[in-house]
Amino acid sequence: MKLSKDFLWGGSIAAHQLEGAYNEGGKGLNTMDLFTSGSYETPRKITETLQDDQLYPSHTAIDFYHRYEEDIELFAEMGFRALRISIDWSRIFPNGDDPEPNKEGLEYYHKVLDKLIEKGIEPIVTLFHFELPVAIVKNYNSWLSRETIELYLKFVKTVVSEYKGKVTKWITFNEMNHIDPQTEASDIFTYILAGLEYSKMTDKKQTLATLGYNMTLASVKAVKIIREIDPKNQAGCVFGLAPSYPKTCKPEDVLLSFQDTIRDFYQIDAMMLGEFPKYKLFEFKKNGIELEITEEDQATFKEGILDFIGLNYYMSAVSSTEAEAKAQEALFGGEVNPYLEKSDWGWTVDPIGLRYLLNFVYRKYQKPIIICENGLGAVDQVAENGEVQDTYRIDYLQQHLSQLKKAVLEDGVECFGYLMWGPIDLVSASTGEMKKRYGFIYVDKQDDGSGDLSRSRKASYYWYQKLIETNGEEL
Ligand code: BG6
């Protein structure tokens, strides 16, 4: 058995992590433009206004805005069949509520899409990958208000109509699932999703529930619009998921592992099952959370079911009910698995977790899945001759893809593509670093802003090229 010859091999990128040109082409400020650089040890800072003494990595990033042609040529040379990009909302509606879209912004994405199409690469477009116009947070209280849903839908309508015929696979949101009222959130995740800091929220549970509900509703409404504009369109939403294994076979640990793994699924359930899940409403009620759910909302859930599910997979975690001696905490809660290796940033490397997750999600919904992100953030060394021998990255990808193939060919999971994150070095979302590199393509840009931005092919570049050429046969 082989992967289908149409399997979408490619990569995933996001505007704020690579475009730069933050104040060009009529673009407004988005929340990521106010997020300073940080590191594994020092968290990124959020500033209310731009500060001269701070470094904001999104401002120049890797200058994809001016170099997209060269970069797309490099992706094409690797044989990419698809590239997932995001359209930065603040390039199209700089203030979020402008009466007319910004023509220069629309034009820029036309050029990017045209280049991709010219090179035979299918564009897959994410409509919200953390690029929230700052003015929406200031004037409309971010996703806490219904006006923001309407502004988002106007943006969606504008771009989906504008690029009709050029794009047919649309993704409404990237990883809205990281904030849940059941658990503590971090400032980083509430900020990247909503431009709001968790530590400053007065009624935390209520706020997280409202954000989660409104974003879910916005996605469902967007799906309807996407399909109305062009019946050829397919709509998906991307979730970042980390299965959590029980630390022991104690029933308490097993139950907790189920709860931890399933915690991030209420929004997928809402988008796949045609109604906002009753168990979540029960939980909200139990916690004194009140939501405004109209009859119109309820009807929309029925009409906005996704055509496909996008999964971002980086790691798994461990659930333990033992209070004593908690091992190192995992990024999305739970503990780090002692049986697994970790990246330099403490993310566990668990290829089998990918097979587990693919099966878990597929058996729940039986709808097509696309891997929208997976990759290894690592420190790369450039040798004197300019080469980067990133064998660790090749190993990582090889192991994950071998599990993906098992899920498809042995378990029958309908997975129609693999989009590696980020095929060209770009700014890390969680730390703001360049040092945390994911790419097949090395970019000469360092954390202090130095570097000539030149691009070069790493060893993994040739490996992925071969892999695509053999349609995944030669791992
Ligand atoms: C995903 C995000 O959660 O993780 C990306 O969708 C992000 O935007 C990726 O870049 C990897 O995380 P990081 O923090 O290493 O960039």
Side-chain angles (χ1 to χ4, degrees), residues 405-419:
K405 280 173 73 177
K406 286 197 167 107
V408 176
L409 305 176
E410 293 178 26
D411 309 335
V413 173
E414 252 180 288
C415 172
F416 65 97
Y418 177 83
L419 308 176

Side-chain angles (χ1 to χ4, degrees), residues 331-381:
L331 187 68
F332 305 115
E335 294 178 21
V336 166
N337 193 327
Y339 293 98
L340 300 173
E341 283 183 15
K342 284 182 279 181
S343 79
D344 291 343
W345 277 261
W347 295 19
T348 49
V349 176
D350 178 17
I352 292 177
L354 176 60
R355 180 176 182 185
Y356 178 98
L357 183 68
L358 279 163
N359 273 282
F360 193 94
V361 174
Y362 187 65
R363 286 177 186 225
K364 234 165 127 32
Y365 310 111
Q366 295 200 56
K367 275 279 176 89
I369 298 174
I370 177 166
I371 296 298
C372 278
E373 287 183 32
N374 174 240
L376 177 71
V379 180
D380 289 331
Q381 303 295 345

